[in-house]
Amino acid sequence: MVEPGDLAALKAFDGLGVLEIWELLQQKAPGVERWSTRLAEADPERDLERAAAAGARFVIPGDEEWPEQVEILAEAGQLSRRAGVPFGLWVRGPAHLRRVLSRSVALVGARACSSYGEHVAAELSAGLTENGVTVVSGGAYGIDAAAHRGALAVPGPTVAVLACGVDVSYPKRNSALFSRIVEDGLVVSELPPGCSPTRLRFLARNRLIAAGTLGTVVIEAAVRSGALNSAGWAEQCGRAVLAVPGPVTSRMSEGNHLLVRERDATLVTSVAEIIEAISPLGTRLTSYPQAPKTITDDLDHDLRRTLDAVPLIHPAPVARIATTAGLDLSTTQTCLETLADLDLIQPTDTGWRLPPTTPPPNPSPPPHAGTQ
Amino acid sequence: MVEPGDLAALKAFDGLGVLEIWELLQQKAPGVERWSTRLAEADPERDLERAAAAGARFVIPGDEEWPEQVEILAEAGQLSRRAGVPFGLWVRGPAHLRRVLSRSVALVGARACSSYGEHVAAELSAGLTENGVTVVSGGAYGIDAAAHRGALAVPGPTVAVLACGVDVSYPKRNSALFSRIVEDGLVVSELPPGCSPTRLRFLARNRLIAAGTLGTVVIEAAVRSGALNSAGWAEQCGRAVLAVPGPVTSRMSEGNHLLVRERDATLVTSVAEIIEAISPLGTRLTSYPQAPKTITDDLDHDLRRTLDAVPLIHPAPVARIATTAGLDLSTTQTCLETLADLDLIQPTDTGWRLPPTTPPPNPSPPPHAGTQ
């Protein structure tokens, strides 16, 4: 009877039960006529039969399986075209809606994505699923499909939230994907079975994905993309807004970089960083990426300073190296011999130098050396 | 006599003129013996002759060409291994040091960079130079060389700050590059002619690049990279710290993403964004990247709502579309006919639908629609 996220309807029927609303509509009560238009075709029994035939159930607020977090939509998005808490959710698949969503993230992005985006979506999705985080997406081509496929490649459920009935395969060529999703996971929709998608229904669907998850990760988005609409919803619902960076030469990452620059999205590059972002503050902290240690890392302070003072090209005598290193002559002499034993430096007739084979000598301090 | 950025020496000689220091060292005065070691080989005349032979000059504080901004180093970096204000700078090339540095940025990054990094460095460098921003780098392989080459491809100077004498080509294979740089630009060093590089001298050199410019742009840096040391110096000097994002699949961008995530570096993707970051707050604001307008952008509100309500697959009758759009029947009818004239929708026996050729119907709001 009512389109998803129709705020006027939610207001008109606020606090009323389904049967009372049904009454009102049949009475064409003043103020609600608008929504009576579909009475003629409305057939709840048929909807439930279609659902049953598709192995789907209807979950409503108060049910054990109801994901309460979507009720944030009662406050969020009042300025948007499609907002509000859904009356209920049609759910198809063996998983338990509330439980799988309790630790979940949305992976969203462009349909016309790049192979880079597809690769990243699948990798992150598989990694998140392996770590017990449910990946939720929209079942569209491109990033959505790659995210679902990545999740399906490992044990664990994935959830597709559609803008049409749970028994409708849109887009058609993803019908095989949907069948695989409902083997372990869920296909979810606010719309009754048989409904087909409209633009407004996609906008309404985006709000559900954002509200139902702990955070929304934008994998690839051009500057005009539904993924940015989803990010906006996550922002309004107080969920984490995360963006994966990409090449600045790619239009498909422009929206991601825009989110980081202009909308305080958190830049994320790995499964660990996503999990940190959706976990309670201060828990699950990710450690800095570390480069493999080199032999010079284990040199003591004097050895390191001496090595640093040895020239690359023209050999220097001990005295010169001592001055450069700021060490006395005998210490420097001992250090030079140790370094030579380690083949880190080379004696010559005119003094010491680095072996020609040494990699070019830019300093390689750990990330924070510059400020230490 | 003294290594670049030797804080102990700067302290010992604080407030003294060159001649007084020279006296002290020859007297081997207590507390300064350390720095007398090189007296024997010291030969200022020879240094000046070598400089003259290489077409270089020695610029000291107070000279008209002296870039005062490097004096920030008197406060910055007290915790670092190589800090302090240089005694003077050896300068080779026709450009005016203070003037070319007055509106300049450092482009830094890995020597072993990717072709992506090389491409981005050259593109940004050319664009910045064309916009009157001098690109400063270190003359090394990889990002440094790509940045200098990008600048050389357009009119305008570029500046290479070396960790060896301005008459020494390190690395050797960049000697042709250095010759081209000194045609319009500058090669600069804190070290007298003939000096060869050491690790400590690279660390000291990085502080000069950071202090001499308005901001440091990290193009590509692994998690252990001299570029992060440069970024640390820029941070300490209160300069803009900027990082270009890259594929999360590339180790060479890990350092960049680390800077954005952990060290509040500003993510930049274009020349305009770099210029915004180095310009006085609120000036030179970059506009959002905009996608080309589509015909539907120009539809009035009712037409847009009607179009949004037209199904993709199963045609819907006017009444249904009116309900979905929330418009009265006659308005809807008129809108449907207009949309059909624009070939945006299709009449069928059972109602209206989008033409099969229509791109998949995810919403395409402008970047902020989600929060409007």
Side-chain angles (χ1 to χ4, degrees):
Chain A
M1 308 290 294
V2 171
E3 279 296 310
D6 181 335
L7 282 174
L10 290 168
K11 216 170 192 164
F13 301 130
D14 187 31
L16 301 178
V18 180
L19 292 177
E20 294 164 288
I21 297 175
W22 185 250
E23 290 292 316
L24 276 180
L25 290 172
Q26 283 185 314
Q27 293 156 16
K28 300 216 176 356
V32 305
E33 314 87 336
R34 275 194 50 182
W35 297 287
S36 309
T37 335
R38 293 190 193 167
L39 260 185
E41 343 159 336
D43 185 348
E45 275 75 16
R46 183 205 50 204
D47 291 342
L48 290 167
E49 279 155 23
R50 281 194 73 149
R57 55 199 180 273
F58 189 51
V59 177
I60 60 169
D63 286 354
E64 198 274 339
E65 199 177 349
W66 177 253
E68 280 178 348
Q69 66 267 35
V70 302
E71 292 174 14
I72 186 78
L73 289 166
E75 292 97 62
Q78 296 304 326
L79 300 173
S80 167
R81 298 164 70 190
R82 297 276 115 180
V85 182
F87 291 105
L89 292 168
W90 299 87
V91 180
R92 183 177 162 211
H96 183 285
L97 182 61
R98 183 171 54 74
R99 265 181 240 130
V100 292
L101 289 185
S102 65
R103 191 149 178 270
S104 63
V105 292
L107 296 197
V108 301
R111 280 164 286 106
C113 67
S114 74
S115 58
Y116 165 71
E118 227 167 38
H119 170 80
V120 172
E123 287 293 309
L124 291 178
S125 182
L128 288 162
T129 308
E130 283 177 317
N131 283 272
V133 177
T134 306
V135 169
V136 179
S137 197
Y141 292 139
I143 296 301
D144 286 12
H148 291 306
R149 288 204 185 87
L152 289 168
V154 298
T158 180
V159 176
V161 183
L162 306 184
C164 56
V166 292
D167 60 340
V168 176
S169 283
Y170 181 85
K172 266 243 168 326
R173 270 182 288 136
N174 279 358
S175 53
L177 180 64
F178 296 133
S179 324
R180 284 177 60 208
I181 289 174
V182 293
E183 285 171 18
D184 296 316
L186 294 172
V187 169
V188 177
S189 176
E190 196 173 354
L191 290 139
C195 287
S196 56
T198 66
R199 285 185 172 78
L200 287 179
R201 289 169 179 178
F202 279 100
L203 288 168
R205 184 277 312 269
N206 291 347
R207 89 191 195 285
L208 279 185
I209 291 180
T213 55
L214 293 166
T216 293
V217 186
V218 177
I219 306 289
E220 259 193 343
V223 290
R224 294 192 68 180
S225 162
L228 297 186
N229 169 266
S230 298
W233 273 113
E235 213 173 319
Q236 293 179 81
C237 294
R239 311 291 191 236
V241 181
L242 311 174
V244 175
V248 297
T249 47
S250 164
R251 298 208 136 280
M252 295 318 301
S253 292
E254 276 185 1
N256 303 48
H257 300 144
L258 185 78
L259 283 172
V260 173
R261 280 180 53 82
E262 307 289 345
R263 286 167 66 183
D264 293 323
T266 302
L267 181 148
V268 290
T269 68
S270 66
V271 167
E273 289 170 3
I274 294 169
I275 290 176
E276 176 184 350
I278 62 166
S279 304
L281 211 60
T283 67
R284 313 294 303 260
L285 289 176
T286 53
S287 55
Y288 287 118
Q290 288 299 339
K293 276 198 146 209
T294 68
I295 175 166
T296 55
D297 293 337
D298 300 323
L299 299 178
D300 71 29
H301 191 62
D302 288 354
L303 283 169
R304 177 78 207 182
R305 282 175 70 176
T306 309
L307 179 61
D308 285 345
V310 175
L312 298 152
I313 308 165
H314 311 301
V318 183
R320 163 72 58 88
I321 293 166
T323 333
T324 306
L327 296 167
D328 62 70
L329 272 178
S330 65
T331 313
T332 312
Q333 185 61 46
T334 329
C335 290
L336 287 170
E337 280 150 18
T338 317
L339 292 169
D341 294 341
L342 294 166
D343 295 322
L344 291 172
I345 63 170
Q346 222 172 39
T348 74
D349 314 343
T350 57
W352 304 83
R353 57 159 293 167
L354 297 177
T357 54
T358 303
N362 267 16
S364 300
H368 280 63
T371 51
Q372 270 156 16
Chain B
M1 308 291 292
V2 171
E3 279 296 310
D6 181 336
L7 283 174
L10 289 169
K11 215 166 190 172
F13 302 130
D14 188 31
L16 302 178
V18 180
L19 291 178
E20 295 164 288
I21 297 174
W22 185 249
E23 290 292 316
L24 275 179
L25 290 172
Q26 285 187 310
Q27 296 155 13
K28 300 212 176 0
V32 304
E33 312 89 337
R34 294 198 26 193
W35 298 288
S36 310
T37 336
R38 293 190 193 167
L39 261 184
E41 341 158 341
D43 184 348
E45 275 75 15
R46 183 205 50 204
D47 291 342
L48 290 167
E49 280 155 23
R50 281 193 73 149
R57 56 198 180 274
F58 190 50
V59 177
I60 61 169
D63 286 352
E64 198 274 339
E65 200 178 347
W66 177 253
E68 281 179 348
Q69 66 266 36
V70 302
E71 292 174 14
I72 185 78
L73 290 166
E75 292 96 59
Q78 296 305 326
L79 301 172
S80 166
R81 298 164 70 190
R82 296 276 113 179
V85 182
F87 290 105
L89 292 169
W90 301 86
V91 181
R92 184 177 161 209
H96 184 285
L97 182 59
R98 183 171 53 74
R99 266 182 237 128
V100 292
L101 289 184
S102 65
R103 192 150 177 270
S104 62
V105 292
L107 295 198
V108 302
R111 278 165 287 108
C113 67
S114 74
S115 57
Y116 165 71
E118 225 165 40
H119 171 80
V120 172
E123 288 293 308
L124 292 178
S125 182
L128 287 161
T129 308
E130 283 177 317
N131 283 273
V133 177
T134 306
V135 169
V136 179
S137 197
Y141 292 141
I143 296 300
D144 286 12
H148 292 306
R149 288 203 185 88
L152 289 168
V154 299
T158 180
V159 176
V161 183
L162 307 184
C164 56
V166 291
D167 60 339
V168 176
S169 283
Y170 182 85
K172 266 242 167 327
R173 268 182 290 136
N174 279 359
S175 54
L177 179 65
F178 296 132
S179 325
R180 284 176 62 207
I181 289 174
V182 293
E183 284 170 19
D184 296 316
L186 295 172
V187 170
V188 177
S189 177
E190 197 173 352
L191 292 138
C195 287
S196 55
T198 65
R199 284 185 173 78
L200 287 179
R201 289 169 180 179
F202 279 99
L203 289 167
R205 184 277 312 269
N206 290 347
R207 89 190 194 286
L208 279 183
I209 292 180
T213 54
L214 293 166
T216 292
V217 186
V218 178
I219 306 289
E220 260 193 341
V223 289
R224 294 190 68 176
S225 162
L228 296 185
N229 170 266
S230 298
W233 273 114
E235 213 172 319
Q236 292 179 80
C237 295
R239 311 290 190 239
V241 181
L242 312 173
V244 174
V248 297
T249 47
S250 163
R251 298 208 136 280
M252 295 318 300
S253 292
E254 276 186 1
N256 302 48
H257 300 143
L258 185 77
L259 283 172
V260 173
R261 280 179 53 81
E262 307 289 345
R263 286 167 67 185
D264 293 321
T266 302
L267 182 147
V268 290
T269 68
S270 66
V271 168
E273 288 170 3
I274 294 169
I275 290 176
E276 177 184 350
I278 62 165
S279 303
L281 210 61
T283 67
R284 315 293 302 261
L285 290 176
T286 53
S287 54
Y288 287 119
Q290 289 299 339
K293 276 197 145 211
T294 68
I295 175 167
T296 54
D297 292 337
D298 301 323
L299 299 178
D300 72 28
H301 191 60
D302 286 355
L303 282 169
R304 177 79 207 181
R305 282 174 71 177
T306 309
L307 178 61
D308 286 344
V310 174
L312 298 152
I313 308 166
H314 311 303
V318 182
R320 163 73 58 88
I321 293 166
T323 334
T324 307
L327 297 167
D328 63 69
L329 272 179
S330 65
T331 313
T332 312
Q333 185 61 46
T334 328
C335 290
L336 287 169
E337 280 149 16
T338 316
L339 292 169
D341 295 341
L342 294 166
D343 294 323
L344 291 171
I345 62 170
Q346 222 174 39
T348 75
D349 314 345
T350 56
W352 304 83
R353 57 159 292 166
L354 298 178
T357 53
T358 304
N362 266 15
S364 300
H368 281 62
T371 50
Q372 269 156 19

